[in-house]
Amino acid sequence: IPPARFALLGLTSMGSTFCSVRSLRYVIYPIQVLAKSCKPVPVMLMGALMGKKYSLKKYINVFFIVLGVGLFTGGGKMSSSSSSSNNSSA
């Protein structure tokens, strides 16, 4: 890699890390962890677009990770709204 391109790659990598850390200041920690759990999705999508082949097992694993994150995230909202409606009717 030519030094100019290597420097550009390093600067963009540092810039993206800085921006992601700064933006996560406004999100609570559990949501940060859940969002980071979905990181394999864009990685696999970009890999597939670039011609990389993944096994069916990897696709299934990523599907279950996303499903689990979705159920965990959605489950918290449903339980809090149903518990508040139960308390208000009593």
Side-chain angles (χ1 to χ4, degrees):
I1 300 176
R5 287 194 179 194
F6 191 73
L8 181 63
L9 179 64
L11 287 173
T12 56
S13 179
M14 286 174 32
S16 68
T17 301
F18 175 77
C19 290
S20 66
V21 169
R22 295 285 291 179
S23 65
L24 288 176
R25 294 184 338 175
Y26 304 104
V27 179
I28 59 173
Y29 184 73
I31 300 300
Q32 290 179 21
V33 172
L34 292 174
K36 288 179 182 180
S37 298
C38 291
K39 186 178 179 178
V41 174
V43 170
M44 287 184 77
L45 285 175
M46 288 303 294
L49 289 174
M50 296 175 75
K52 186 169 182 179
K53 303 290 183 189
Y54 295 101
S55 66
L56 180 61
K57 183 179 176 181
K58 286 199 178 205
Y59 284 111
I60 292 171
N61 287 340
V62 170
F63 172 76
F64 280 119
I65 289 171
V66 172
L67 180 67
V69 169
L71 289 173
F72 184 78
T73 304
K77 291 179 183 178
M78 290 174 59
S79 65
S80 64
S81 63
S82 65
S83 66
S84 64
S85 64
N86 289 342
N87 291 339
S88 62
S89 63

